[in-house]
Amino acid sequence: MSRSEQVTGATMPTEYPFVLPRGYVDPQGRVHREGLMRLATARDEIAPQADPKVRENAAYLTVLLLSRTVTRLGDVTDVTTDTVENLFASDLAFLQDLYRRINQEGRTEAEVVCPSCEHLFLVDVAGEAPGES
């Protein structure tokens, strides 16, 4: 039990499962779709600012942030910048949105509107693991 759990008696989610829209294809050709992202720390946000690649290209910050906070991608437990660089663009965009949702908004749900009946409801954008309903 963590110190915050001892003090408050409550647990706070710090890791969020997700399912990529397409999946990471590893060097052996295997596709990995299910993953886990943890909440970012102050260090995760500050340390990459000093990286020369970020100074050359500010967009590279996303790659560094995701490589630090995605803790698992299928069987891949060592998610590196190379791993993130080799994601499909749609998967990178998905992870960027998930990162923003859990670190800035504190949730993984998005409000959506049914195109037929215009009913507003929440959808968990992190996705559902296969076999769950």
Side-chain angles (χ1 to χ4, degrees):
M1 182 178 292
S2 73
R3 175 120 174 90
S4 63
E5 291 172 359
Q6 291 171 351
V7 173
T8 65
T11 60
M12 178 180 76
T14 59
E15 293 186 313
Y16 296 83
F18 61 83
V19 179
L20 292 175
R22 296 190 186 251
Y24 166 69
V25 180
D26 69 20
Q28 291 75 35
R30 294 176 302 211
V31 178
H32 306 271
R33 291 190 61 218
E34 294 180 36
L36 198 59
M37 181 183 289
R38 67 170 174 77
L39 285 175
T41 63
R43 179 172 293 176
D44 291 326
E45 298 248 341
I46 295 168
Q49 300 294 332
D51 190 286
K53 288 184 179 181
V54 173
R55 289 186 179 168
E56 289 176 25
N57 180 357
Y60 198 73
L61 177 63
T62 297
V63 173
L64 289 173
L65 288 172
L66 293 176
S67 70
R68 294 175 71 101
T69 57
V70 174
T71 59
R72 183 179 58 76
L73 199 47
D75 295 333
V76 179
T77 56
D78 184 23
V79 178
T80 65
T81 55
D82 188 56
T83 308
V84 176
E85 289 172 357
N86 284 291
L87 290 172
F88 292 108
S90 58
D91 291 331
L92 180 66
F94 172 86
L95 290 174
Q96 286 176 297
D97 184 59
L98 181 62
Y99 180 93
R100 182 186 55 78
R101 287 182 184 281
I102 69 174
N103 288 291
Q104 294 173 4
E105 298 175 12
R107 60 188 180 88
T108 60
E109 296 87 13
E111 288 184 353
V112 295
V113 177
C114 174
S116 298
C117 68
E118 297 185 3
H119 177 75
L120 182 70
F121 58 97
L122 290 177
V123 172
D124 188 347
V125 296
E128 188 175 279
E132 291 183 316
S133 295

